[in-house]
Amino acid sequence: MDEKAGLDDTASGWSDVRRRTSDPAAAPLRMPSFYLALCLGLFTGTNSQLLEIFGLSTGDAGTVDRQPFHDLASQSAGLINYLQTIQKNPNNDLNKRLKEGTGGLPRVNFIEGLPVLPGVVGSLPGAGSCLPRGSPLVKDKSPSFFQNILRNIPGAQDYLASLLPSPKVNVKSLYGKFQWALDTPSVHNRFCSMTEFLPQAEAGNSSAFSIQEKFRSNSESGGEKVAFGYGIIHKERTYVYMQDDPCPYQIVTVGPINDETNQYEYVILSNWARFPIIGLVRDLRTFYAKYKDQLEDQLDKDGFNNEITGNSNIHYADWSKCRPATPINYIQNVLADLFG
């Protein structure tokens, strides 16, 4: 596949990513779109298939049907290699951190039977921890086999997430639209996928934002889906929730900030298991011309690629066939879903 194929004016115009974002403090208070989708899910119940037909994702659209044993086989080798890699780093040595008391497992308290880790946002579902099973309009299982195992153990995910690279994120530079440039192919089956970060609230060293996603399922000409999500920045941790994973992603790498737009050129999302990986870029031409090689070196350095998996867990999106959606396309896709 030609990575640079199709990076023409049509793709750039369709993405519309070079706009400045207004000051969120001046924006009117809005209900996060993800919460609106959750409320809608409570009223629709068993009509999730109907929502999918009319373009609202219920979490499964654009994802690969995964088998547990395949997950175990494909993810174990990479995880073992990654754990060996971080243990070689003296800053992440588990025994050292436990002895010094600087990185050990937090003490667990209970309030009305619920585990609460003092000062740790990640102990709260939806604020750093995995969402509970059965959450409406959210995929029930994470594509990370190991996150599903550990998601109900208080403090485990928060500790493992602390071993991730955690760049300080300027939330104002995060706002706006991104195109998906790279992804883990065994997880997502999306085409022409875009993610937009929208301002919601800022208070002290914490911020909240909402997410809107648009993508095609099955092929570049497939029906366009709209998905929702939200994110939280607390101190230097950034948690991002999307409908296709009940467990949070974290921003693990940020690109340089563009001098003209004051926005990040790219960001990388992943989790403590380093699976899956999502790369979001502002402009495809700029990414391939300036940052692709630099980003691959950073992924190697941070353990997202390793000797066992190599870069086989990364797939570069082909935008050559992506064209703007039209009302006619929408009607055709709805009729196709309804009547075959």
Side-chain angles (χ1 to χ4, degrees), residues 187-241:
V187 174
H188 293 115
N189 185 27
R190 291 181 168 201
F191 301 86
C192 314
S193 185
M194 297 187 63
T195 296
E196 182 175 9
F197 296 88
L198 302 167
Q200 291 296 335
E202 296 178 34
N205 57 9
S206 299
S207 302
F209 52 87
S210 61
I211 296 172
Q212 180 173 313
E213 298 182 277
K214 290 184 179 181
F215 59 93
R216 315 278 174 84
S217 57
N218 300 320
S219 70
E220 292 88 350
S221 58
E224 188 172 73
K225 304 294 183 183
V226 177
F228 303 96
Y230 64 97
I232 296 170
I233 297 178
H234 181 65
K235 296 182 180 178
E236 294 189 4
R237 298 271 191 92
T238 304
Y239 299 101
V240 178
Y241 286 84

Side-chain angles (χ1 to χ4, degrees), residues 50 74 85 102 238 243-244 263 323:
L50 188 62
S74 63
T85 301
T102 58
T238 304
Q243 285 183 263
D244 53 27
Q263 295 177 321
R323 295 292 180 266

Side-chain angles (χ1 to χ4, degrees), residues 119-242:
V120 181
V121 174
S123 65
L124 304 175
S129 184
C130 298
L131 298 173
R133 288 181 171 85
S135 299
L137 296 183
V138 177
K139 195 172 181 67
D140 197 48
K141 293 183 179 180
S142 172
S144 170
F145 181 82
F146 299 99
Q147 285 202 131
N148 278 317
I149 295 176
L150 298 177
R151 63 192 292 184
N152 294 321
I153 301 177
Q157 174 144 334
D158 191 80
Y159 177 77
L160 291 167
S162 72
L163 302 179
L164 271 177
S166 298
K168 186 174 182 180
V169 175
N170 181 340
V171 68
K172 291 184 175 65
S173 297
L174 184 65
Y175 295 146
K177 294 181 181 180
F178 290 86
Q179 293 170 277
W180 285 39
L182 60 94
D183 187 21
T184 301
S186 60
V187 174
H188 293 115
N189 185 27
R190 291 181 168 201
F191 301 86
C192 314
S193 185
M194 297 187 63
T195 296
E196 182 175 9
F197 296 88
L198 302 167
Q200 291 296 335
E202 296 178 34
N205 57 9
S206 299
S207 302
F209 52 87
S210 61
I211 296 172
Q212 180 173 313
E213 298 182 277
K214 290 184 179 181
F215 59 93
R216 315 278 174 84
S217 57
N218 300 320
S219 70
E220 292 88 350
S221 58
E224 188 172 73
K225 304 294 183 183
V226 177
F228 303 96
Y230 64 97
I232 296 170
I233 297 178
H234 181 65
K235 296 182 180 178
E236 294 189 4
R237 298 271 191 92
T238 304
Y239 299 101
V240 178
Y241 286 84
M242 300 180 179

Side-chain angles (χ1 to χ4, degrees), residues 27-77:
L29 182 63
R30 293 175 297 178
M31 181 180 185
S33 53
F34 182 71
Y35 296 139
L36 180 62
L38 288 181
C39 294
L40 182 60
L42 294 176
F43 288 102
T44 54
T46 59
N47 293 328
S48 59
Q49 185 176 3
L50 188 62
L51 293 178
E52 289 278 4
I53 290 174
F54 286 96
L56 180 62
S57 174
T58 58
D60 290 316
T63 59
V64 177
D65 187 15
R66 306 173 59 80
Q67 300 298 322
F69 291 108
H70 177 268
D71 281 350
L72 183 60
S74 63
Q75 296 179 35
S76 293

Side-chain angles (χ1 to χ4, degrees), residues 222-276:
E224 188 172 73
K225 304 294 183 183
V226 177
F228 303 96
Y230 64 97
I232 296 170
I233 297 178
H234 181 65
K235 296 182 180 178
E236 294 189 4
R237 298 271 191 92
T238 304
Y239 299 101
V240 178
Y241 286 84
M242 300 180 179
Q243 285 183 263
D244 53 27
D245 194 333
C247 297
Y249 292 89
Q250 288 181 252
I251 294 180
V252 297
T253 300
V254 295
I257 294 178
N258 184 283
D259 292 334
E260 296 180 3
T261 63
N262 200 34
Q263 295 177 321
Y264 288 119
E265 294 284 9
Y266 64 84
V267 298
I268 301 297
L269 305 177
S270 191
N271 54 44
W272 66 263
R274 263 65 171 182
F275 184 91

Side-chain angles (χ1 to χ4, degrees), residues 105-118:
L105 294 175
R107 186 175 180 179
V108 178
N109 293 328
F110 289 86
I111 297 178
E112 296 181 355
L114 297 176
V116 177
L117 310 180

